[in-house]
Amino acid sequence: TMTGAKNISFEDIIFEDTCGIAVRMKDCENVVFDNCEFRNRGQRAVSIDSGYDCGVKNSYVHDTGKGGIYMEGGDDINFTPSNNFVDNCHIERYSISCRTYGSAVKLYGVGNRMSHCLINDGTHLAVQYNGIDNVAEYNEIYNVLKESHDAGVFYGGRTWTSKVTFRNNYIHDSGNMDLLSDDVWMTQAIYADD
Protein backbone atom coordinates (compact mmCIF):
# COMPACT_ATOMS: atom_id res chain seq x y z
CA THR A 1 0.00 0.00 0.00
CA MET A 2 1.23 3.46 -0.91
CA THR A 3 -0.23 6.41 0.96
CA GLY A 4 0.56 9.97 -0.08
CA ALA A 5 3.23 8.94 -2.60
CA LYS A 6 4.08 11.49 -5.33
CA ASN A 7 5.86 11.54 -8.67
CA ILE A 8 6.84 7.86 -8.96
CA SER A 9 7.00 5.79 -12.14
CA PHE A 10 7.19 1.97 -12.12
CA GLU A 11 8.29 0.48 -15.44
CA ASP A 12 8.83 -3.04 -16.80
CA ILE A 13 7.96 -4.90 -13.59
CA ILE A 14 6.09 -8.21 -13.17
CA PHE A 15 3.82 -8.45 -10.11
CA GLU A 16 2.73 -12.05 -9.51
CA ASP A 17 1.64 -14.88 -7.25
CA THR A 18 0.06 -13.39 -4.15
CA CYS A 19 -3.35 -13.72 -2.52
CA GLY A 20 -4.05 -10.01 -2.17
CA ILE A 21 -4.02 -6.85 -4.27
CA ALA A 22 -0.70 -6.21 -6.02
CA VAL A 23 -0.74 -2.40 -5.69
CA ARG A 24 -3.00 -0.18 -3.58
CA MET A 25 -2.68 3.60 -3.79
CA LYS A 26 -4.36 6.00 -1.39
CA ASP A 27 -4.12 9.79 -1.69
CA CYS A 28 -1.27 9.53 -4.19
CA GLU A 29 -0.34 11.97 -6.96
CA ASN A 30 1.31 11.21 -10.29
CA VAL A 31 2.08 7.54 -9.59
CA VAL A 32 2.17 5.62 -12.88
CA PHE A 33 2.68 1.95 -13.78
CA ASP A 34 3.99 1.64 -17.35
CA ASN A 35 4.60 -1.57 -19.30
CA CYS A 36 4.04 -3.79 -16.26
CA GLU A 37 2.47 -7.22 -15.97
CA PHE A 38 0.09 -8.20 -13.17
CA ARG A 39 -0.67 -11.93 -13.07
CA ASN A 40 -1.85 -14.74 -10.83
CA ARG A 41 -3.41 -12.48 -8.20
CA GLY A 42 -5.86 -13.64 -5.55
CA GLN A 43 -7.73 -10.34 -5.77
CA ARG A 44 -7.37 -7.39 -8.15
CA ALA A 45 -4.18 -6.10 -9.71
CA VAL A 46 -4.31 -2.37 -8.92
CA SER A 47 -6.50 -0.26 -6.66
CA ILE A 48 -6.38 3.54 -7.00
CA ASP A 49 -8.50 4.39 -3.97
CA SER A 50 -8.10 8.16 -4.26
CA GLY A 51 -5.61 10.70 -5.50
CA TYR A 52 -4.78 12.54 -8.70
CA ASP A 53 -2.98 11.85 -11.99
CA CYS A 54 -2.34 8.18 -11.16
CA GLY A 55 -2.70 5.33 -13.59
CA VAL A 56 -1.75 2.17 -15.40
CA LYS A 57 -0.69 2.22 -19.04
CA ASN A 58 0.73 -0.15 -21.66
CA SER A 59 0.31 -3.03 -19.20
CA TYR A 60 -0.99 -6.60 -19.18
CA VAL A 61 -3.34 -7.79 -16.42
CA HIS A 62 -4.42 -11.43 -16.41
CA ASP A 63 -5.49 -14.36 -14.27
CA THR A 64 -6.75 -12.37 -11.30
CA GLY A 65 -9.27 -13.64 -8.79
CA LYS A 66 -11.41 -10.58 -8.11
CA GLY A 67 -10.99 -8.02 -10.87
CA GLY A 68 -8.39 -6.01 -12.69
CA ILE A 69 -8.05 -2.29 -11.95
CA TYR A 70 -10.16 -0.25 -9.52
CA MET A 71 -10.05 3.48 -10.14
CA GLU A 72 -11.55 6.24 -8.03
CA GLY A 73 -10.54 9.76 -7.12
CA GLY A 74 -11.46 13.39 -7.54
CA ASP A 75 -13.79 15.51 -5.49
CA ASP A 76 -17.49 14.94 -6.10
CA ILE A 77 -18.56 17.94 -4.01
CA ASN A 78 -16.49 20.51 -5.93
CA PHE A 79 -16.39 18.46 -9.19
CA THR A 80 -12.58 18.43 -9.20
CA PRO A 81 -11.35 15.76 -11.65
CA SER A 82 -8.77 13.24 -10.54
CA ASN A 83 -7.34 12.61 -14.02
CA ASN A 84 -6.62 9.01 -13.02
CA PHE A 85 -6.41 6.65 -15.98
CA VAL A 86 -6.13 3.17 -17.47
CA ASP A 87 -4.70 3.43 -20.98
CA ASN A 88 -3.63 0.90 -23.59
CA CYS A 89 -3.90 -2.12 -21.30
CA HIS A 90 -4.86 -5.72 -22.08
CA ILE A 91 -6.98 -7.24 -19.31
CA GLU A 92 -8.18 -10.85 -19.54
CA ARG A 93 -9.32 -13.71 -17.27
CA TYR A 94 -9.94 -11.20 -14.50
CA SER A 95 -12.60 -12.94 -12.39
CA ILE A 96 -11.34 -16.43 -11.73
CA SER A 97 -12.59 -16.84 -8.14
CA CYS A 98 -15.14 -14.01 -7.88
CA ARG A 99 -17.41 -14.98 -10.78
CA THR A 100 -19.66 -11.88 -10.62
CA TYR A 101 -18.88 -8.18 -10.14
CA GLY A 102 -15.13 -8.78 -10.32
CA SER A 103 -14.83 -6.41 -13.27
CA ALA A 104 -11.77 -5.75 -15.42
CA VAL A 105 -12.07 -2.03 -14.63
CA LYS A 106 -14.09 -0.18 -12.01
CA LEU A 107 -14.48 3.39 -13.24
CA TYR A 108 -15.64 5.46 -10.25
CA GLY A 109 -15.01 8.93 -8.87
CA VAL A 110 -14.70 12.20 -10.81
CA GLY A 111 -12.82 12.78 -14.06
CA ASN A 112 -11.26 9.35 -14.64
CA ARG A 113 -10.51 7.85 -18.05
CA MET A 114 -10.27 4.35 -19.49
CA SER A 115 -9.05 4.29 -23.10
CA HIS A 116 -7.51 2.07 -25.80
CA CYS A 117 -7.88 -1.08 -23.71
CA LEU A 118 -8.52 -4.65 -24.83
CA ILE A 119 -10.67 -6.63 -22.38
CA ASN A 120 -11.67 -10.26 -22.89
CA ASP A 121 -12.61 -13.55 -21.25
CA GLY A 122 -14.76 -12.52 -18.31
CA THR A 123 -17.53 -14.47 -16.64
CA HIS A 124 -19.59 -11.35 -15.87
CA LEU A 125 -19.36 -7.63 -16.64
CA ALA A 126 -16.23 -6.00 -18.04
CA VAL A 127 -16.52 -2.44 -16.68
CA GLN A 128 -18.41 -1.26 -13.64
CA TYR A 129 -19.02 2.49 -13.80
CA ASN A 130 -20.34 5.30 -11.68
CA GLY A 131 -19.29 8.83 -10.85
CA ILE A 132 -19.09 12.16 -12.64
CA ASP A 133 -17.35 13.11 -15.90
CA ASN A 134 -15.70 9.73 -16.36
CA VAL A 135 -14.85 8.59 -19.90
CA ALA A 136 -14.58 5.14 -21.52
CA GLU A 137 -13.33 5.44 -25.10
CA TYR A 138 -11.62 3.50 -27.88
CA ASN A 139 -11.80 0.15 -26.06
CA GLU A 140 -12.40 -3.30 -27.53
CA ILE A 141 -14.28 -5.76 -25.35
CA TYR A 142 -15.27 -9.31 -26.27
CA ASN A 143 -16.07 -12.74 -24.83
CA VAL A 144 -17.47 -11.45 -21.54
CA LEU A 145 -20.78 -12.13 -19.73
CA LYS A 146 -20.10 -15.83 -20.28
CA GLU A 147 -21.84 -17.01 -17.09
CA SER A 148 -24.49 -14.37 -16.46
CA HIS A 149 -27.62 -12.61 -17.61
CA ASP A 150 -29.42 -9.43 -16.56
CA ALA A 151 -26.04 -7.74 -16.92
CA GLY A 152 -24.06 -5.44 -19.19
CA VAL A 153 -20.57 -5.28 -20.63
CA PHE A 154 -20.54 -1.74 -19.15
CA TYR A 155 -22.67 -1.86 -16.00
CA GLY A 156 -23.72 0.90 -13.62
CA GLY A 157 -26.74 2.30 -11.93
CA ARG A 158 -28.52 3.11 -8.73
CA THR A 159 -27.06 6.63 -8.79
CA TRP A 160 -28.99 9.24 -10.73
CA THR A 161 -26.14 11.74 -10.57
CA SER A 162 -23.74 9.49 -12.49
CA LYS A 163 -22.37 10.98 -15.71
CA VAL A 164 -20.15 8.74 -17.81
CA THR A 165 -19.28 9.24 -21.49
CA PHE A 166 -18.96 6.16 -23.71
CA ARG A 167 -17.36 6.86 -27.06
CA ASN A 168 -15.99 4.70 -29.90
CA ASN A 169 -15.95 1.38 -28.03
CA TYR A 170 -16.11 -1.89 -29.98
CA ILE A 171 -18.10 -4.53 -28.09
CA HIS A 172 -18.63 -7.92 -29.73
CA ASP A 173 -19.07 -11.67 -29.25
CA SER A 174 -20.30 -11.42 -25.64
CA GLY A 175 -23.07 -13.05 -23.66
CA ASN A 176 -24.06 -16.68 -23.38
CA MET A 177 -26.91 -17.78 -25.62
CA ASP A 178 -27.35 -20.98 -23.56
CA LEU A 179 -28.61 -18.87 -20.63
CA LEU A 180 -31.35 -17.14 -22.64
CA SER A 181 -35.01 -18.06 -22.54
CA ASP A 182 -38.33 -16.23 -22.61
CA ASP A 183 -38.34 -15.70 -18.84
CA VAL A 184 -34.85 -14.28 -18.19
CA TRP A 185 -33.26 -10.90 -18.81
CA MET A 186 -30.77 -10.68 -21.60
CA THR A 187 -27.38 -9.02 -21.64
CA GLN A 188 -26.64 -5.51 -22.92
CA ALA A 189 -23.60 -3.61 -24.13
CA ILE A 190 -24.26 -0.65 -21.78
CA TYR A 191 -26.61 -1.30 -18.89
CA ALA A 192 -27.78 1.57 -16.67
CA ASP A 193 -29.61 -0.51 -14.08
CA ASP A 194 -32.51 0.72 -11.91
Side-chain angles (χ1 to χ4, degrees):
T1 298
M2 287 184 281
T3 303
K6 293 182 181 181
N7 304 317
I8 302 172
S9 180
F10 297 89
E11 297 178 8
D12 305 312
I13 300 173
I14 296 173
F15 298 86
E16 67 179 333
D17 298 332
T18 65
C19 293
I21 298 169
V23 175
R24 175 173 269 158
M25 294 180 262
K26 185 173 172 62
D27 299 324
C28 294
E29 291 181 36
N30 194 33
V31 176
V32 177
F33 290 82
D34 186 2
N35 198 36
C36 292
E37 183 174 357
F38 300 87
R39 64 187 185 202
N40 305 324
R41 316 292 321 157
Q43 292 196 22
R44 68 177 64 105
V46 177
S47 186
I48 304 171
D49 293 336
S50 58
Y52 296 88
D53 303 308
C54 296
V56 181
K57 64 181 181 178
N58 308 314
S59 294
Y60 183 33
V61 175
H62 63 98
D63 300 299
T64 60
K66 194 176 180 179
I69 300 169
Y70 175 89
M71 185 170 40
E72 192 172 21
D75 181 347
D76 59 358
I77 302 220
N78 297 307
F79 302 109
T80 306
S82 69
N83 299 314
N84 293 328
F85 61 89
V86 177
D87 185 50
N88 196 38
C89 292
H90 182 188
I91 305 170
E92 65 180 339
R93 297 182 308 276
Y94 50 85
S95 53
I96 292 173
S97 60
C98 179
R99 308 302 278 180
T100 57
Y101 297 101
S103 56
V105 176
K106 287 195 177 184
L107 185 60
Y108 288 6
V110 181
N112 295 299
R113 179 179 44 85
M114 171 194 156
S115 59
H116 303 97
C117 292
L118 173 63
I119 297 173
N120 60 282
D121 295 327
T123 57
H124 195 224
L125 51 94
V127 179
Q128 207 168 348
Y129 68 88
N130 215 328
I132 302 165
D133 294 332
N134 292 323
V135 176
E137 61 185 356
Y138 303 105
N139 301 292
E140 180 181 359
I141 303 172
Y142 71 94
N143 201 27
V144 299
L145 300 174
K146 296 189 301 185
E147 297 178 7
S148 56
H149 61 84
D150 188 21
V153 174
F154 287 95
Y155 178 85
R158 294 183 170 81
T159 303
W160 288 100
T161 58
S162 182
K163 180 185 170 203
V164 179
T165 300
F166 303 98
R167 160 169 71 219
N168 300 308
N169 296 291
Y170 179 41
I171 300 167
H172 61 97
D173 300 310
S174 291
N176 185 339
M177 296 304 288
D178 294 334
L179 295 175
L180 300 179
S181 71
D182 291 337
D183 60 342
V184 299
W185 294 91
M186 298 191 324
T187 55
Q188 293 84 24
I190 300 173
Y191 189 1
D193 199 2
D194 297 337

